[in-house]
Amino acid sequence: MDGHASRRNEGPQVVACPDGPFLVRGDVDIVLPDGTPVPRTRKTVALCRCGLSTIKPFCDGTHRASGFRTG
């Protein structure tokens, strides 16, 4: 079995990128604090962790210019 097939069988995944966004893979509902569902058009999305993205809850790469660090 190749790596892609085994990853599909693992189910949803959330990966914290060092000094960057959370990558969300798989069938996961994303909702805002008020309960509003966030539409997804991709199987993998990057969610903002720095709080500076102009397209929240998604990451726009602003963390790089801002010097955001997770550690």
Side-chain angles (χ1 to χ4, degrees):
M1 187 180 320
D2 71 347
H4 294 291
S6 64
R7 192 176 320 133
R8 279 192 301 267
N9 294 333
E10 291 177 10
Q13 295 180 329
V14 177
V15 177
C17 295
D19 302 328
F22 286 116
L23 294 182
V24 179
R25 295 183 177 109
D27 188 18
V28 177
D29 292 331
I30 299 172
V31 295
L32 298 176
D34 68 1
T36 304
V38 177
R40 290 179 59 178
T41 58
R42 298 174 182 212
K43 290 182 181 182
T44 300
V45 294
L47 298 180
C48 177
R49 274 205 294 178
C50 73
L52 300 172
S53 174
T54 59
I55 57 170
K56 285 183 237 158
F58 302 110
C59 175
D60 67 0
T62 302
H63 61 274
R64 283 176 283 208
S66 73
F68 174 74
R69 298 288 177 257
T70 57

